[in-house]
């Protein structure tokens, strides 16, 4: 039997115990060492057997462990291969892959064999991550750490794959690294989800902030939590103000209850959105209509978490609705005031609209007219013999049935007795794209009295011979029956010579028969016709006449006679021709005027369209023509225009047209032109011809000209567009330096349109309270006390935002709007200064700029006196700033006005002194109080020697003339110190602060002095 360690131990024990006995039994003669030797051999044999047995058991244990490890590895691989995770194993010393799971092909798109290449993993790391990743794994592996890292690899199709790599380092018993196993997890979908979330949030932010409507997020309690820019613009509050407010605070008090009711209904019902139109109260207390949509935003729990409020400014629509209602009211008033009856019926012949005249004609009340149907029997229509007339034969019904205009004389029995006749014209109405009328409008004229008068006229025909106009009576066949004496005087024919002849041969012999056929149809339909025709006298001479032809109907309603009345209008035509010539030509130059030019331009465009040619249009304007009129008189100006017209006319062809549009503007029509640049050569020729000075009344006048050019069809396909674009190009020529020409471009048109829109908005800016005044302190250089303020106009447009004065002031000057703007500025500045004084603040000098246009046209003296009276402000604390050019233009008239202003008590200063041309003698006579050094001279002092000399000279001039001097545009300590050294008493500029709102300026007055550095509190209020 096999030996186990336990049996060997028992055997060994038995031998030890039995040894002495055996020795005693062997006899005393044998020595004990033999027994010991035998015992030692036995023990050695037993130990060897035990060692062999132990080694065999250890080997079996190792085999069992290896099998278990292989089984565990097999289970791990099967587990991994059942997921999307990629497992791979490699030897870090050789970089050879010893195993890779099948999912590797799906992960990177490469076959599994590719993973066995030593450099496969290294080469397919994303280039931007490669160096870092390799170094990270190398250091971690060398240190024997298990580690993981997220990085990018390249797919076989070039796409980027995001991975998480988790590595385990395996060592042998001697501590050497044997292999590395790795698990690769695809993070691309996770990364894409993160990117999508980031993109969604970015899109939401972009949509929220750039939306063309106001959007705000509010808590269920009504507090704003988030507001976009447009919401602030509409409401007039800043974002910071709104975040401190409840959105009910912005609601107009009269509409707040409506808003609360809507919100309560939204929370109580299953609705997700409510919409309403309401008013909100802006920060400036003005009301603006908005369309408001409030929706509930729900969280993950589906419970309401907040409101989303969307508002859109609908003030324009509300105004349009008001205008529409007003227009409808005017239309109804107009219809009601007509003497002619008007009845509008729908497609079912029900009355929709009628006026008092129609009710009066029919003898009905307005209540009866409202329910009056043609088949109701309320009005009984009859034929000529008194028989009832069917409703479907009446003009309104026929017009609805046929879709054509129907005119007819109709007889009906009046409510007050008897019959009356009306002439009615029924016109069907169609909607665009529809052929069936949806309504019919009938105009009604009571012609009963006229018919009676015609009957009387037939009875009184004998008196027609006394008429001064030629009268011819013809029968129903248009054969002449009678002619009066005036007929003989006009035509030279005796009455007996024309009796029996055809009426057209006598009344309008120079027209074809077809013309009179049309006249006859009109007379048969309407009862009369009148117009201008040509006739021939007995001597063969043609003459124009004004002809009226009327029909006379018998009791049966049929035409029984025609009456033709005409008069010789030769003299009238001659007068009309003279008037027409004057109506189409400029009386000063004899050139065609604008009306004739438009007609010729229209014909030229039609011809160019047919022949595929081009038409050129030039707008020419004399630069500074007003100076000629003002300096030499209007007679000299007229002579100059006549000479300009002669020279321009000599530069064009006979087929071209030169027109004087009015004032100093001329239009040249080039018809036709073969190339788009041909008008440029004509413009150059004209400028050359006009370059030579003009001799006018012993004066030699040289001037410049600006020309704008547009070309059909490139710059427009109708006269209005071409003329508008040429005019735009001319103004760009003026801006380009004058005495030149410019072609029209779309950019010019866009600028002109923007300028027009800005002008229209400017007209309403004061009414809408969009204008505000900012104040720039004027500071004493001695002690930095605030001694004055300059009022500066600012415009905050509700849609355009802040608009620079440099942009809208020139438009106000050109359009004349500077006059009402200037009045408002002076009144508001004086009101504000008076308000500060009433609060106990120290009095200051209030400086206000006066436009040259306002000074000349606005009765400036009376306006200033009225403002002083209304506001109660002291006149000696008002300073009007005038420009040098204003003072020197018409100096005597300006001097008289200034003396009147001084008599009121206001102070005067010369703004931007040094930039214009001033006469020292006039400067003394004007008796101004202060000179204001222009900032263009202050900007470069003390570094620029020329500016230093100019500023020093102005200060010394002020001292010599005993005038105050103030500098504007001071921005640096060096400039302020220089001005102070040179003796300048006061200054203003950004060194202290920019123009500020009234509230900020008031805080400066409280402090008295102003620090040179910007005040953070003040700047926050800006």
């Amino acid at each position: 039997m096999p030996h186990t360690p336990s049996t060997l131990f028992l055997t060994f024990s038995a031998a030890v115990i039995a040894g002495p006995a055996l020795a005693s039994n062997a006899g005393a003669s044998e020595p004990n060492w033999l027994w010991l030797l035998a015992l030692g051999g036995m023990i050695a044999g037993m130990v060897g057997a035990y060692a062999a047995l132990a080694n065999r058991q250890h080997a079996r244990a190792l085999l069992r462990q290896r099998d278990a490890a292989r089984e565990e590895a097999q289970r791990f691989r099967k587990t991994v291969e059942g997921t999307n995770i990629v497992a791979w194993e490699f030897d870090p010393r050789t970089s050879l892959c010893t195993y890779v799971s099948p999912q590797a092909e799906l992960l990177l798109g490469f076959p599994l064999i590719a993973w066995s290449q030593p450099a496969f993993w290294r080469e397919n790391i994303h280039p931007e991550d490669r160096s870092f990743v390799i170094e990270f794994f190398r250091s971690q592996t060398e240190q024997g750490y298990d580690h993981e890292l997220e990085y990018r690899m390249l797919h076989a199709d070039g796409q980027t794959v995001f991975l998480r790599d988790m590595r385990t380092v395996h060592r042998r018993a001697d501590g050497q690294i044997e292999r590395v196993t790795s698990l690769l997890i695809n993070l691309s979908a996770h990364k894409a989800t993160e990117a999508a979330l980031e993109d969604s949030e970015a899109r939401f932010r972009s949509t929220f902030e750039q939306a063309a409507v106001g959007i705000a997020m509010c808590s269920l309690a009504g507090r704003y939590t988030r507001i976009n820019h447009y919401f602030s613009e509409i409401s007039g509050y800043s974002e910071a103000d709104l975040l401190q407010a409840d959105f009910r605070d912005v609601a107009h008090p009269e509409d707040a209850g409506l808003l609360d009711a809507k919100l309560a209904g939204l929370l109580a019902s299953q609705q997700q959105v409510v919409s309403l139109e309401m008013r909100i109260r802006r920060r400036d207390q003005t009301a603006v209509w908005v369309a408001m949509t409030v929706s509930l935003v729900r969280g993950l729990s589906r419970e309401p978490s907040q409101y989303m409020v969307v508002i859109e400014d609908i003030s324009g629509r509300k105004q349009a609705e008001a205008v529409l209602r007003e227009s409808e009211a005017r239309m109804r008033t107009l219809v009601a005031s007509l003497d002619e009856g008007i009845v509008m019926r729908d497609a079912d012949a029900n009355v929709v609209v009628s006026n008092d005249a129609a009710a009066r004609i029919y003898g009905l009340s307005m209540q009866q007219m409202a329910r009056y149907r043609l088949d109701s029997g309320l009005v009984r229509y009859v034929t000529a013999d008194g028989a009832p007339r069917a409703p479907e034969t009446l003009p309104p019904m026929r017009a609805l049935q046929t879709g054509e205009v129907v005119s007819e004389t109709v007889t009906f029995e009046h409510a007050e007795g008897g019959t009356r006749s009306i002439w009615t014209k029924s016109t069907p109405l169609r909607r665009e794209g529809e052929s069936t009328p949806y309504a019919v409008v009938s105009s009604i004229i009571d012609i009963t009295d006229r018919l009676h008068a015609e009957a009387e006229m037939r009875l009184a025909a004998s008196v027609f011979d006394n008429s001064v106009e030629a009268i011819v009576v013809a029968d129903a066949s248009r054969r002449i029956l009678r002619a009066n004496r005036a007929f003989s005087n006009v035509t030279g024919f005796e009455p007996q010579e024309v009796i029996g002849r055809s009426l057209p041969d006598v009344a309008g012999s120079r027209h074809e028969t077809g013309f009179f056929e049309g006249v006859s149809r009109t007379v048969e339909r309407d009862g009369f016709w009148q117009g201008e025709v040509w006739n021939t006298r007995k001597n063969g001479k043609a003459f124009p006449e004004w002809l009226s032809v009327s029909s006379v109907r018998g009791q049966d309603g049929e035409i029984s006679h025609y009456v033709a009345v005409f008069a010789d209008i030769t003299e009238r035509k001659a007068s009309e021709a003279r008037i027409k010539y004057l109506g189409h030509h400029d009386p000063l130059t004899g050139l065609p005027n604008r009306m004739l030019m438009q007609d010729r331009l229209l014909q030229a465009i039609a011809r160019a369209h047919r022949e595929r040619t081009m038409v050129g249009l030039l707008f020419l304007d004399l630069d500074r023509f007003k100076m000629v009129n003002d300096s030499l008189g209007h007679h000299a100006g007229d002579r100059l225009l006549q000479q300009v017209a002669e020279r321009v006319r000599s530069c064009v062809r006979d087929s071209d047209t030169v027109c004087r549009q009015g004032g100093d503007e001329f239009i040249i029509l080039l018809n036709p032109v073969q190339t788009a640049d041909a008008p440029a050569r004509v413009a150059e020729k004209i400028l050359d011809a006009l370059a030579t000075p003009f001799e006018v009344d012993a004066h030699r006048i040289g001037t410049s000209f600006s020309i704008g050019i547009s070309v059909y069809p490139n710059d427009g396909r109708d006269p209005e567009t071409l003329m508008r674009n040429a005019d735009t190009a001319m103004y760009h020529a003026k801006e380009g330096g004058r005495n030149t020409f410019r072609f029209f471009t779309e950019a010019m048109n866009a600028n002109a349109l923007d300028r027009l829109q800005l002008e229209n908005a400017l007209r309403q800016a004061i009414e809408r309270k969009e204008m505000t005044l900012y104040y720039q302190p004027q500071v004493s250089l001695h002690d930095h006390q605030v001694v004055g303020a300059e009022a500066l106009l600012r415009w905050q447009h509700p849609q355009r935002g802040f608009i620079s004065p440099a942009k809208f002031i020139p438009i106000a000057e050109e359009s004349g709007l500077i006059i009402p703007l200037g009045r408002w500025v002076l009144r508001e500045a004086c009101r504000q200064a008076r308000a500060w004084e009433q609060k106990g603040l120290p009095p200051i000098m209030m400086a206000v700029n006066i436009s040259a246009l306002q000074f000349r046209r606005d009765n400036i003296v009376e306006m200033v006196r009225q403002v002083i009276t209304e506001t109660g402000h002291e006149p000696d604390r008002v300073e009007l700033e005038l420009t040098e050019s204003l003072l020197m233009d018409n100096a005597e008239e300006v001097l008289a006005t200034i003396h009147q202003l001084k008599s009121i008590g206001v102070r005067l200063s010369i703004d931007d002194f040094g930039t214009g041309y001033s006469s020292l003698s006039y400067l003394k006579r004007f008796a101004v109080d202060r000179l204001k050094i222009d900032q263009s001279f202050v900007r470069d002092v003390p570094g620029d020697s020329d500016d230093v000399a100019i500023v020093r000279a102005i200060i010394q001039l002020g001292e010599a003339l005993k005038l105050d001097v103030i500098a504007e545009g001071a921005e640096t300590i060096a400039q302020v110190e220089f001005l102070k050294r040179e003796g300048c008493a006061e200054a203003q500029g950004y060194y202290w602060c920019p123009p500020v709102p009234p509230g900020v300026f008031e805080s400066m007055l409280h402090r008295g002095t102003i620090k040179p550095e910007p005040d953070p509190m003040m700047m926050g209020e800006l």
Side-chain angles (χ1 to χ4, degrees):
M1 61 175 293
H3 294 284
T4 64
S6 57
T7 57
L8 291 175
F9 177 76
L10 293 174
T11 304
F12 173 74
S13 300
V16 172
I17 295 173
L22 292 175
S24 63
N25 292 332
S29 60
E30 292 184 348
N32 289 332
W33 61 269
L34 293 175
W35 174 81
L36 292 175
L37 181 61
L39 181 60
M42 182 185 297
I43 290 173
M46 291 174 65
V47 169
Y50 184 83
L53 181 59
N55 285 336
R56 187 179 301 114
Q57 289 180 339
H58 177 68
R60 289 175 179 170
L62 290 178
L63 288 175
R64 284 195 301 269
Q65 290 177 0
R66 183 189 64 184
D67 291 340
R70 287 178 179 176
E71 184 178 352
E72 182 65 26
Q74 189 66 23
R75 282 198 303 270
F76 173 77
R77 290 182 179 182
K78 287 182 179 181
T79 300
V80 169
E81 289 173 2
T83 67
N84 291 325
I85 300 174
V86 174
W88 71 299
E89 182 179 281
F90 65 96
D91 186 342
R93 294 167 299 179
T94 62
S95 297
L96 290 178
C97 174
T98 57
Y99 169 77
V100 62
S101 62
Q103 288 81 357
E105 288 189 350
L106 296 176
L107 180 66
L108 297 181
F110 293 95
L112 294 181
I113 190 65
W115 288 74
S116 62
Q117 301 299 320
F120 171 80
W121 173 76
R122 179 189 300 269
E123 291 175 355
N124 287 283
I125 300 173
H126 194 284
E128 296 176 4
D129 300 346
R130 184 174 296 152
S131 58
F132 169 77
V133 170
I134 293 174
E135 178 59 25
F136 173 83
F137 282 137
R138 183 195 61 77
S139 63
Q140 296 297 306
T141 301
E142 287 180 354
Q143 297 177 50
Y145 298 150
D146 293 342
H147 47 279
E148 66 177 77
L149 182 66
E150 290 184 7
Y151 58 98
R152 295 170 293 174
M153 293 194 73
L154 298 178
H155 195 273
D157 60 6
Q159 297 294 317
T160 300
V161 180
F162 286 84
L163 299 176
R164 174 178 288 131
D165 192 343
M166 298 183 294
R167 297 194 175 185
T168 303
V169 178
H170 299 272
R171 295 178 178 274
R172 294 196 301 266
D174 59 0
Q176 294 296 318
I177 296 174
E178 178 183 27
R179 56 192 171 90
V180 175
T181 58
S182 170
L183 295 179
L184 300 178
I185 302 174
N186 191 342
L187 300 180
S188 297
H190 175 69
K191 294 291 185 179
T193 301
E194 291 180 344
L197 289 173
E198 293 176 357
D199 182 64
S200 175
E201 174 62 17
R203 285 198 302 271
F204 173 77
R205 288 196 301 270
S206 175
T207 301
F208 186 89
E209 295 298 334
Q210 299 178 16
V213 294
I215 304 176
M217 304 301 294
C218 304
S219 68
L220 293 181
R223 303 291 293 184
Y224 289 103
T225 59
R226 189 170 183 179
I227 303 99
N228 72 350
H229 173 71
Y230 202 67
F231 195 99
S232 294
E233 278 194 0
I234 294 176
S235 65
Y237 290 87
S238 68
E239 182 179 3
D241 291 338
L242 289 172
L243 291 176
Q244 300 298 318
D246 186 306
F247 73 83
R248 296 178 184 83
D249 297 340
V250 182
H252 193 279
E254 297 177 8
D255 294 346
L258 173 63
L259 177 61
D260 283 334
K262 288 285 188 179
L263 292 179
L266 181 63
L267 285 172
S269 68
Q270 296 300 316
Q271 292 178 278
Q272 294 299 315
V273 179
V274 293
S275 299
L276 68 157
E277 292 182 0
M278 60 175 287
R279 293 164 294 174
I280 62 175
R281 186 168 58 186
R282 293 171 55 85
R283 186 183 183 91
D284 59 7
Q285 301 304 307
T286 59
V288 58
W289 277 97
V290 298
M292 176 179 290
T293 301
V294 183
S295 56
L296 277 176
V297 180
R298 299 182 183 273
L300 295 177
S301 65
R302 306 305 300 163
E303 291 295 321
S305 60
Q306 57 182 326
Y307 295 116
M308 175 181 284
V309 181
V310 179
I311 61 173
E312 182 178 4
D313 188 343
I314 60 171
S315 300
R317 174 163 68 79
K318 287 292 184 180
Q319 293 174 0
E321 290 174 353
V323 170
L324 180 59
R325 289 193 296 270
E326 183 180 357
S327 175
E328 291 177 349
R330 286 198 301 268
M331 185 273 290
R332 293 184 179 274
T333 302
L334 177 63
V335 171
S337 64
L338 292 176
D339 292 331
E340 179 179 337
I342 300 294
V343 179
M344 180 178 178
R345 301 176 185 275
D346 60 21
D348 296 324
N350 296 309
V351 173
V352 178
V353 176
S354 65
N355 63 353
D356 290 339
R360 185 174 60 253
I361 291 172
Y362 284 113
L364 303 175
S365 66
M366 289 302 293
Q367 290 77 11
Q368 289 174 314
M369 281 297 302
R371 60 178 185 273
Y372 167 40
R373 288 180 56 87
L374 295 174
D375 57 358
S376 65
L378 194 59
V379 175
R380 185 171 181 266
Y381 293 90
V382 296
T383 62
D385 58 2
R389 185 167 176 180
E392 58 268 21
T393 66
L394 296 174
M397 299 303 293
R398 287 160 52 197
L400 285 171
Q401 293 165 4
T402 64
E404 303 292 336
V405 177
V406 178
S407 300
E408 187 182 344
T409 299
V410 179
T411 303
F412 67 95
E413 295 179 351
H414 197 270
E416 297 178 358
T419 61
R420 299 194 68 84
S421 298
I422 58 173
W423 182 84
T424 178
K425 180 180 181 181
S426 296
T427 304
L429 304 180
R430 299 180 181 85
R431 293 188 176 90
E432 185 175 355
E434 296 182 1
S435 59
T436 303
Y438 70 91
V440 60
V441 176
S442 299
S443 57
I444 305 167
I445 301 174
D446 189 341
I447 61 172
T448 305
D449 295 337
R450 193 184 83 184
L451 293 177
H452 290 165
E454 289 175 354
E456 293 176 2
M457 184 179 67
R458 287 194 299 271
L459 297 176
S462 59
V463 300
F464 86 113
D465 277 333
N466 297 321
S467 174
V468 296
E469 294 182 319
I471 302 177
V472 177
V473 180
D475 61 17
S477 301
R478 296 184 296 182
R479 294 296 173 180
I480 296 175
L481 301 176
R482 299 183 64 183
N484 68 351
R485 177 53 53 188
F487 170 80
S488 298
N489 296 336
V490 173
T491 65
F493 290 100
E494 293 299 325
Q496 58 271 20
E497 292 182 83
V498 297
I499 292 175
R501 293 178 58 183
S502 173
L503 180 61
D505 294 341
V506 174
S509 58
R510 296 183 65 86
H511 292 269
E512 297 179 354
T513 305
F515 171 77
F516 272 93
E517 293 298 334
V519 172
S520 296
R521 287 193 296 271
T522 302
V523 173
E524 291 174 3
R525 183 183 70 242
D526 299 337
F528 63 91
W529 178 92
Q530 61 180 2
E532 182 182 316
V533 298
W534 281 89
N535 208 345
T536 307
R537 305 186 200 276
K538 186 175 181 180
N539 60 11
K541 186 176 182 181
F543 69 97
E545 67 181 24
W546 184 258
L547 173 65
S548 298
V549 181
S550 300
S551 63
V552 180
R553 296 183 181 270
Q555 293 297 326
D556 59 357
E558 297 296 327
I559 295 176
S560 61
H561 296 85
Y562 291 97
V563 177
V565 181
F566 59 88
D568 185 351
I569 59 172
T570 303
E571 292 185 3
R572 194 180 82 183
K573 291 289 288 183
S575 299
E576 288 178 351
R578 289 192 297 272
I579 294 173
K580 183 178 180 181
Y581 178 83
L582 294 176
H584 290 83
H585 290 79
D586 174 42
L588 177 65
T589 62
L591 294 175
N593 62 9
R594 183 186 180 97
M595 184 181 300
L596 183 56
M597 165 62 71
Q598 286 183 322
D599 182 67
R600 292 186 179 179
L601 178 56
L602 191 62
Q603 296 179 27
I605 290 174
R607 178 182 174 186
H609 178 71
R610 291 192 307 271
E611 300 178 359
R612 300 187 178 224
T613 57
M614 290 181 283
V615 176
L617 198 65
L618 282 65
F619 261 47
L620 182 145
D621 181 81
L622 279 71
D623 298 327
R624 303 182 183 91
F625 176 70
K626 183 177 181 299
M627 295 178 61
V628 177
N629 276 338
D630 293 346
S631 58
L632 303 180
H634 289 280
H635 176 73
D638 291 345
R639 291 285 299 121
L640 175 61
L641 292 174
Q642 289 172 340
Q643 294 186 33
V644 169
E646 292 175 3
R647 293 192 191 181
V648 173
R649 193 157 39 193
S650 67
C651 296
V652 299
R653 304 165 297 183
D654 292 339
S655 62
D656 301 330
T657 300
V658 179
C659 152
R660 180 182 176 220
Q661 180 172 239
D664 57 351
E665 290 187 351
F666 293 82
I667 303 176
I668 300 97
L669 170 63
L670 305 179
N671 178 33
V673 294
Q674 301 302 322
T675 60
D677 60 349
R681 294 191 293 272
V682 177
E684 291 175 346
K685 185 178 180 181
I686 293 173
L687 291 176
D688 290 341
L690 298 176
T692 304
F694 298 87
E695 300 291 338
V696 178
D697 298 337
H699 296 284
R700 189 175 175 84
I701 300 175
T703 185
S704 60
F705 301 83
S706 300
I707 299 176
I709 303 172
S710 65
V711 179
Y712 170 87
N714 299 342
D715 301 327
R717 296 179 176 271
D718 58 83
E720 291 75 14
T721 304
L722 286 171
M723 295 179 72
R724 182 174 65 250
N725 292 343
D727 191 32
T728 300
M730 181 192 70
Y731 279 101
H732 279 264
K734 285 181 176 291
E735 295 174 357
R738 304 179 185 268
N739 212 36
T740 185
F741 64 87
R742 290 286 187 274
F743 279 89
F744 171 78
T745 64
E746 277 300 328
M748 295 181 188
N749 192 30
N751 293 339
L753 180 60
D754 182 70
R755 187 183 186 90
L756 177 61
Q757 293 174 342
L758 198 61
E759 180 180 337
N760 292 335
L762 188 58
R763 293 183 184 278
Q764 304 176 26
I766 298 180
E767 298 177 0
R768 295 179 175 176
K769 298 182 180 180
E770 297 170 7
M771 292 295 180
T772 57
L773 287 184
Y774 275 39
Y775 301 88
Q776 186 168 39
Q778 296 177 337
V779 182
S780 168
L781 294 178
H782 173 67
D783 55 7
H784 292 286
Q785 287 283 338
V786 178
V787 296
E790 181 179 5
L792 298 168
L793 188 59
R794 296 294 183 264
W795 182 10
Q796 185 69 31
H797 191 275
Q799 282 78 41
R800 294 172 177 249
F802 177 78
I803 300 177
S804 170
K807 188 171 184 179
F808 72 81
I809 291 296
I811 296 177
E813 292 274 4
E814 294 179 10
S815 63
L817 293 173
I818 195 66
I819 294 176
L821 279 176
R823 294 176 190 166
W824 181 84
V825 169
L826 182 61
R827 182 176 289 103
E828 176 63 16
C830 291
R831 183 203 63 76
Q832 182 64 74
R834 177 63 176 163
W836 285 331
E837 291 181 14
Q838 289 176 338
K839 290 182 178 180
L841 296 174
I844 59 170
M845 184 65 62
M846 180 61 71
V848 179
N849 291 281
I850 299 297
S851 161
L853 187 67
Q854 182 185 10
F855 189 88
R856 296 191 186 98
R857 296 186 184 177
D858 193 29
N859 193 355
I860 188 71
V861 177
E862 183 59 31
M863 189 269 289
V864 171
R865 183 179 288 113
Q866 183 178 358
V867 168
I868 294 297
T869 302
E870 290 178 358
T871 61
H873 191 52
E874 294 298 327
D876 60 353
R877 290 199 282 276
V878 178
E879 185 174 273
L880 305 181
E881 295 189 0
L882 311 175
T883 62
E884 288 183 81
S885 58
L886 184 154
L887 297 176
M888 299 309 299
D889 192 6
N890 296 323
E892 294 299 328
E893 296 180 11
V894 172
L895 182 60
T897 303
I898 285 180
H899 284 165
Q900 295 180 59
L901 290 172
K902 295 291 289 183
S903 69
I904 298 175
V906 299
R907 289 168 53 88
L908 301 174
S909 69
I910 300 180
D911 193 17
D912 302 336
F913 185 78
T915 60
Y917 173 80
S918 294
S919 167
L920 295 182
S921 62
Y922 274 112
L923 191 62
K924 180 179 179 181
R925 292 177 63 193
F926 287 138
V928 298
D929 300 284
R930 183 153 67 167
L931 303 178
K932 195 168 190 179
I933 305 175
D934 186 72
Q935 61 181 341
S936 61
F937 303 128
V938 177
R939 183 180 299 116
D940 294 324
V941 298
D944 188 292
S945 59
D946 292 335
D947 287 343
V948 167
I950 292 172
V951 172
R952 182 177 292 131
I954 295 175
I955 296 173
Q956 293 173 357
L957 176 63
E959 292 176 352
L961 295 177
K962 295 182 174 56
L963 301 177
D964 295 336
V965 178
I966 183 173
E968 65 178 358
E971 297 181 355
T972 66
I973 183 63
Q975 294 169 349
V976 172
E977 293 298 327
F978 169 78
L979 293 170
K980 187 174 181 181
R981 287 196 306 272
E982 294 299 326
C984 184
E986 298 171 1
Q988 66 185 74
Y990 278 57
Y991 175 74
W992 291 280
C993 79
V996 295
V1000 179
F1001 193 89
E1002 183 175 327
S1003 66
M1004 297 180 187
L1005 292 179
H1006 277 290
R1007 291 195 298 270
T1009 59
I1010 182 171
K1011 297 180 180 180
E1013 62 275 10
D1015 188 336
M1017 182 183 300
M1018 179 189 71
M1019 297 305 290
E1021 294 183 36
L1022 296 181

